[in-house]
Amino acid sequence: MLPSKQEIVDKALSEVNFEAWENLHREYADKIAAQRDVWPQDRIEKLERNYSKYFELEKWLQYHSRHVMTADLHDGEGPKRILDLGCGAGIFLFICRTLGHHGVGLDIDSGMYRRMAEILGVDWRASPVLANTPLPEEFQGLDLISAIAIKFDRLDYGPQSAEPWGLDEWQYFLRDAASRLNPGGHIFIKPNYLIHPTETDPGVFFKDGRIMDMMRDTSVKATEHFDFLIPKSAFA
Ligand SMILES: C[S@@+](CC[C@H](N)C(=O)[O-])C[C@H]1O[C@@H](n2cnc3c(N)ncnc32)[C@H](O)[C@@H]1O
């Protein structure tokens, strides 16, 4: 029988080194507090909110357990080789590991993410995803390439402009990612909002609506949360 969402979360929680996690949380809270007399109040408040949010592990495990199920990573088939792009602290890969899979997470350089991933035992590497640029050559023969809550917007150099990716950049990315997959492999993608929804407005993911159409049209699974499971065969 397949594990339930709660069973997936409980198993992951049972493998967390909470002492190290909370120590790191306190260390970052102290770093921010030390800047109280230096930085403006609103900057301090924003940082405090953001940093604390990252450490709410159970909440993020609940969130990613949904992605694990959509990507069929809980079915006992495996182990699968995963590359997680824009992986943050590596929490998605951590759950995957507790289910017997293994993989590597890439993000832009961040001391905090690196240390969070270390506590979670996730192979975390600083390697940005750039527009119209192949992923690092070493990543081949994968079963899943995931990119969760991303828009690859955090850089502005070389081929990566400050502008959000357009249709060409997304097509380039999806073709390159598909070429790294084993037969039967998938891309699991969840775009982040360009403009977040409000009570009166549904929000915007992409400036060019054709990008969302492409994700919908190529996916074998699409959820109400805008999670798309795209098979290799759609792009390779
Ligand atoms: C909203 S967070 C999502 C983190 C993680 N995927 C999760 O769901 O917990 C977006 C992530 O994308 C990363 N990111 C933004 N632009 C990137 C780029 N060009 N290459 C790699 N990562 C990037 C950010 O640093 C951040 O960690």
Side-chain angles (χ1 to χ4, degrees), residues 64 86-88 107-108 113 128-129 148-150 152-155 192:
H64 284 304
C87 67
D107 206 296
I108 57 176
Y113 281 160
V129 178
I148 303 174
I150 46 72
F152 301 128
D153 60 331
R154 288 278 307 280
L155 287 164
N192 207 353

PDB file of all heavy atoms in Angstrom, residues 64 86-88 107-108 113 128-129 148-150 152-155 192, ligand 1:
ATOM      1  N   HIS A  64       6.139  19.862   0.478  1.00  0.00           N
ATOM      2  CA  HIS A  64       6.841  19.058  -0.527  1.00  0.00           C
ATOM      3  C   HIS A  64       6.317  17.621  -0.603  1.00  0.00           C
ATOM      4  O   HIS A  64       6.513  16.960  -1.621  1.00  0.00           O
ATOM      5  CB  HIS A  64       8.345  19.052  -0.248  1.00  0.00           C
ATOM      6  CG  HIS A  64       9.014  20.335  -0.649  1.00  0.00           C
ATOM      7  ND1 HIS A  64       8.935  20.843  -1.935  1.00  0.00           N
ATOM      8  CD2 HIS A  64       9.751  21.224   0.053  1.00  0.00           C
ATOM      9  CE1 HIS A  64       9.617  21.972  -2.003  1.00  0.00           C
ATOM     10  NE2 HIS A  64      10.104  22.241  -0.810  1.00  0.00           N
ATOM     11  N   GLY A  86      17.145  25.142  -8.307  1.00  0.00           N
ATOM     12  CA  GLY A  86      16.594  26.191  -7.445  1.00  0.00           C
ATOM     13  C   GLY A  86      16.079  25.535  -6.174  1.00  0.00           C
ATOM     14  O   GLY A  86      14.966  25.780  -5.724  1.00  0.00           O
ATOM     15  N   CYS A  87      16.934  24.675  -5.599  1.00  0.00           N
ATOM     16  CA  CYS A  87      16.488  23.720  -4.556  1.00  0.00           C
ATOM     17  C   CYS A  87      16.335  24.349  -3.178  1.00  0.00           C
ATOM     18  O   CYS A  87      15.869  23.686  -2.252  1.00  0.00           O
ATOM     19  CB  CYS A  87      17.468  22.557  -4.471  1.00  0.00           C
ATOM     20  SG  CYS A  87      19.090  23.083  -3.860  1.00  0.00           S
ATOM     21  N   GLY A  88      16.744  25.635  -3.014  1.00  0.00           N
ATOM     22  CA  GLY A  88      16.674  26.246  -1.687  1.00  0.00           C
ATOM     23  C   GLY A  88      17.530  25.449  -0.711  1.00  0.00           C
ATOM     24  O   GLY A  88      18.683  25.110  -1.006  1.00  0.00           O
ATOM     25  N   ASP A 107      21.534  25.573  -6.534  1.00  0.00           N
ATOM     26  CA  ASP A 107      20.921  26.893  -6.305  1.00  0.00           C
ATOM     27  C   ASP A 107      22.023  27.916  -6.478  1.00  0.00           C
ATOM     28  O   ASP A 107      23.176  27.551  -6.714  1.00  0.00           O
ATOM     29  CB  ASP A 107      20.300  26.969  -4.890  1.00  0.00           C
ATOM     30  CG  ASP A 107      19.157  27.984  -4.812  1.00  0.00           C
ATOM     31  OD1 ASP A 107      19.410  29.187  -5.006  1.00  0.00           O
ATOM     32  OD2 ASP A 107      18.012  27.566  -4.571  1.00  0.00           O
ATOM     33  N   ILE A 108      21.674  29.188  -6.381  1.00  0.00           N
ATOM     34  CA  ILE A 108      22.721  30.207  -6.391  1.00  0.00           C
ATOM     35  C   ILE A 108      23.395  30.175  -5.018  1.00  0.00           C
ATOM     36  O   ILE A 108      22.811  29.683  -4.052  1.00  0.00           O
ATOM     37  CB  ILE A 108      22.156  31.595  -6.728  1.00  0.00           C
ATOM     38  CG1 ILE A 108      21.067  31.997  -5.750  1.00  0.00           C
ATOM     39  CG2 ILE A 108      21.598  31.613  -8.132  1.00  0.00           C
ATOM     40  CD1 ILE A 108      20.548  33.389  -5.990  1.00  0.00           C
ATOM     41  N   TYR A 113      21.615  28.328   2.929  1.00  0.00           N
ATOM     42  CA  TYR A 113      21.073  27.121   2.286  1.00  0.00           C
ATOM     43  C   TYR A 113      22.070  25.972   2.371  1.00  0.00           C
ATOM     44  O   TYR A 113      21.714  24.832   2.625  1.00  0.00           O
ATOM     45  CB  TYR A 113      20.786  27.376   0.812  1.00  0.00           C
ATOM     46  CG  TYR A 113      19.510  28.120   0.509  1.00  0.00           C
ATOM     47  CD1 TYR A 113      19.355  28.752  -0.726  1.00  0.00           C
ATOM     48  CD2 TYR A 113      18.455  28.182   1.411  1.00  0.00           C
ATOM     49  CE1 TYR A 113      18.183  29.428  -1.048  1.00  0.00           C
ATOM     50  CE2 TYR A 113      17.293  28.857   1.104  1.00  0.00           C
ATOM     51  CZ  TYR A 113      17.162  29.484  -0.128  1.00  0.00           C
ATOM     52  OH  TYR A 113      16.015  30.143  -0.440  1.00  0.00           O
ATOM     53  N   PRO A 128      24.189  28.183 -10.574  1.00  0.00           N
ATOM     54  CA  PRO A 128      22.965  28.815 -11.042  1.00  0.00           C
ATOM     55  C   PRO A 128      22.482  28.241 -12.367  1.00  0.00           C
ATOM     56  O   PRO A 128      23.276  27.742 -13.164  1.00  0.00           O
ATOM     57  CB  PRO A 128      23.366  30.282 -11.228  1.00  0.00           C
ATOM     58  CG  PRO A 128      24.838  30.251 -11.432  1.00  0.00           C
ATOM     59  CD  PRO A 128      25.358  29.075 -10.662  1.00  0.00           C
ATOM     60  N   VAL A 129      21.188  28.331 -12.581  1.00  0.00           N
ATOM     61  CA  VAL A 129      20.596  27.963 -13.868  1.00  0.00           C
ATOM     62  C   VAL A 129      20.485  29.257 -14.666  1.00  0.00           C
ATOM     63  O   VAL A 129      19.905  30.235 -14.184  1.00  0.00           O
ATOM     64  CB  VAL A 129      19.201  27.347 -13.659  1.00  0.00           C
ATOM     65  CG1 VAL A 129      18.552  27.010 -14.990  1.00  0.00           C
ATOM     66  CG2 VAL A 129      19.304  26.104 -12.780  1.00  0.00           C
ATOM     67  N   ILE A 148      11.014  23.570  -8.331  1.00  0.00           N
ATOM     68  CA  ILE A 148       9.794  23.829  -7.554  1.00  0.00           C
ATOM     69  C   ILE A 148       9.769  25.269  -7.035  1.00  0.00           C
ATOM     70  O   ILE A 148      10.700  25.706  -6.352  1.00  0.00           O
ATOM     71  CB  ILE A 148       9.697  22.827  -6.375  1.00  0.00           C
ATOM     72  CG1 ILE A 148       9.733  21.395  -6.916  1.00  0.00           C
ATOM     73  CG2 ILE A 148       8.438  23.079  -5.547  1.00  0.00           C
ATOM     74  CD1 ILE A 148       9.800  20.318  -5.844  1.00  0.00           C
ATOM     75  N   ALA A 149       8.703  25.961  -7.366  1.00  0.00           N
ATOM     76  CA  ALA A 149       8.530  27.364  -6.949  1.00  0.00           C
ATOM     77  C   ALA A 149       9.674  28.225  -7.467  1.00  0.00           C
ATOM     78  O   ALA A 149      10.260  29.016  -6.731  1.00  0.00           O
ATOM     79  CB  ALA A 149       8.401  27.471  -5.431  1.00  0.00           C
ATOM     80  N   ILE A 150       9.986  28.053  -8.717  1.00  0.00           N
ATOM     81  CA  ILE A 150      11.130  28.783  -9.287  1.00  0.00           C
ATOM     82  C   ILE A 150      10.680  29.655 -10.467  1.00  0.00           C
ATOM     83  O   ILE A 150       9.666  29.420 -11.106  1.00  0.00           O
ATOM     84  CB  ILE A 150      12.242  27.839  -9.790  1.00  0.00           C
ATOM     85  CG1 ILE A 150      11.663  26.690 -10.606  1.00  0.00           C
ATOM     86  CG2 ILE A 150      13.079  27.289  -8.660  1.00  0.00           C
ATOM     87  CD1 ILE A 150      11.170  27.031 -11.900  1.00  0.00           C
ATOM     88  N   PHE A 152      13.848  31.264 -11.819  1.00  0.00           N
ATOM     89  CA  PHE A 152      15.232  31.491 -12.226  1.00  0.00           C
ATOM     90  C   PHE A 152      15.507  32.971 -12.493  1.00  0.00           C
ATOM     91  O   PHE A 152      16.045  33.355 -13.521  1.00  0.00           O
ATOM     92  CB  PHE A 152      15.569  30.634 -13.460  1.00  0.00           C
ATOM     93  CG  PHE A 152      15.392  29.167 -13.225  1.00  0.00           C
ATOM     94  CD1 PHE A 152      14.627  28.392 -14.081  1.00  0.00           C
ATOM     95  CD2 PHE A 152      15.975  28.542 -12.130  1.00  0.00           C
ATOM     96  CE1 PHE A 152      14.452  27.028 -13.858  1.00  0.00           C
ATOM     97  CE2 PHE A 152      15.805  27.184 -11.889  1.00  0.00           C
ATOM     98  CZ  PHE A 152      15.042  26.431 -12.762  1.00  0.00           C
ATOM     99  N   ASP A 153      15.158  33.774 -11.526  1.00  0.00           N
ATOM    100  CA  ASP A 153      15.204  35.224 -11.721  1.00  0.00           C
ATOM    101  C   ASP A 153      16.299  35.906 -10.914  1.00  0.00           C
ATOM    102  O   ASP A 153      16.415  37.111 -10.927  1.00  0.00           O
ATOM    103  CB  ASP A 153      13.872  35.811 -11.255  1.00  0.00           C
ATOM    104  CG  ASP A 153      13.625  35.498  -9.779  1.00  0.00           C
ATOM    105  OD1 ASP A 153      14.120  34.463  -9.300  1.00  0.00           O
ATOM    106  OD2 ASP A 153      12.939  36.278  -9.121  1.00  0.00           O
ATOM    107  N   ARG A 154      17.087  35.122 -10.189  1.00  0.00           N
ATOM    108  CA  ARG A 154      17.946  35.742  -9.189  1.00  0.00           C
ATOM    109  C   ARG A 154      19.342  36.100  -9.691  1.00  0.00           C
ATOM    110  O   ARG A 154      20.273  36.163  -8.902  1.00  0.00           O
ATOM    111  CB  ARG A 154      18.042  34.822  -7.976  1.00  0.00           C
ATOM    112  CG  ARG A 154      16.785  34.741  -7.131  1.00  0.00           C
ATOM    113  CD  ARG A 154      16.670  35.912  -6.157  1.00  0.00           C
ATOM    114  NE  ARG A 154      17.876  36.059  -5.350  1.00  0.00           N
ATOM    115  CZ  ARG A 154      18.152  35.323  -4.293  1.00  0.00           C
ATOM    116  NH1 ARG A 154      17.332  34.379  -3.903  1.00  0.00           N
ATOM    117  NH2 ARG A 154      19.256  35.530  -3.616  1.00  0.00           N
ATOM    118  N   LEU A 155      19.535  36.324 -10.961  1.00  0.00           N
ATOM    119  CA  LEU A 155      20.846  36.693 -11.448  1.00  0.00           C
ATOM    120  C   LEU A 155      20.700  37.667 -12.585  1.00  0.00           C
ATOM    121  O   LEU A 155      19.667  37.770 -13.203  1.00  0.00           O
ATOM    122  CB  LEU A 155      21.584  35.452 -11.959  1.00  0.00           C
ATOM    123  CG  LEU A 155      22.068  34.526 -10.856  1.00  0.00           C
ATOM    124  CD1 LEU A 155      22.420  33.188 -11.447  1.00  0.00           C
ATOM    125  CD2 LEU A 155      23.261  35.126 -10.141  1.00  0.00           C
ATOM    126  N   ASN A 192       7.056  29.756 -10.260  1.00  0.00           N
ATOM    127  CA  ASN A 192       6.702  30.716  -9.214  1.00  0.00           C
ATOM    128  C   ASN A 192       5.991  31.908  -9.864  1.00  0.00           C
ATOM    129  O   ASN A 192       6.157  32.165 -11.049  1.00  0.00           O
ATOM    130  CB  ASN A 192       7.966  31.202  -8.492  1.00  0.00           C
ATOM    131  CG  ASN A 192       7.659  31.636  -7.068  1.00  0.00           C
ATOM    132  OD1 ASN A 192       6.492  31.695  -6.675  1.00  0.00           O
ATOM    133  ND2 ASN A 192       8.684  31.939  -6.311  1.00  0.00           N
TER     134      ASN A 192
HETATM  135  C1  LIG B   1      10.826  30.222  -3.826  1.00  0.00           C
HETATM  136  S1  LIG B   1      12.406  29.494  -3.665  1.00  0.00           S
HETATM  137  C2  LIG B   1      12.034  27.762  -3.834  1.00  0.00           C
HETATM  138  C3  LIG B   1      13.072  26.892  -3.184  1.00  0.00           C
HETATM  139  C4  LIG B   1      12.795  25.388  -3.270  1.00  0.00           C
HETATM  140  N1  LIG B   1      12.666  24.915  -4.627  1.00  0.00           N
HETATM  141  C5  LIG B   1      11.557  25.039  -2.482  1.00  0.00           C
HETATM  142  O1  LIG B   1      10.502  24.823  -3.106  1.00  0.00           O
HETATM  143  O2  LIG B   1      11.643  24.963  -1.254  1.00  0.00           O
HETATM  144  C6  LIG B   1      13.151  29.877  -5.248  1.00  0.00           C
HETATM  145  C7  LIG B   1      14.598  29.417  -5.310  1.00  0.00           C
HETATM  146  O3  LIG B   1      15.105  29.637  -6.633  1.00  0.00           O
HETATM  147  C8  LIG B   1      16.468  30.040  -6.495  1.00  0.00           C
HETATM  148  N2  LIG B   1      16.883  30.676  -7.750  1.00  0.00           N
HETATM  149  C9  LIG B   1      16.478  31.851  -8.272  1.00  0.00           C
HETATM  150  N3  LIG B   1      17.104  32.092  -9.439  1.00  0.00           N
HETATM  151  C10 LIG B   1      17.928  31.035  -9.662  1.00  0.00           C
HETATM  152  C11 LIG B   1      18.819  30.675 -10.699  1.00  0.00           C
HETATM  153  N4  LIG B   1      19.006  31.462 -11.759  1.00  0.00           N
HETATM  154  N5  LIG B   1      19.484  29.495 -10.611  1.00  0.00           N
HETATM  155  C12 LIG B   1      19.286  28.659  -9.538  1.00  0.00           C
HETATM  156  N6  LIG B   1      18.451  28.955  -8.524  1.00  0.00           N
HETATM  157  C13 LIG B   1      17.783  30.114  -8.586  1.00  0.00           C
HETATM  158  C14 LIG B   1      16.445  30.964  -5.288  1.00  0.00           C
HETATM  159  O4  LIG B   1      17.724  31.183  -4.746  1.00  0.00           O
HETATM  160  C15 LIG B   1      15.516  30.185  -4.357  1.00  0.00           C
HETATM  161  O5  LIG B   1      16.223  29.262  -3.578  1.00  0.00           O
END
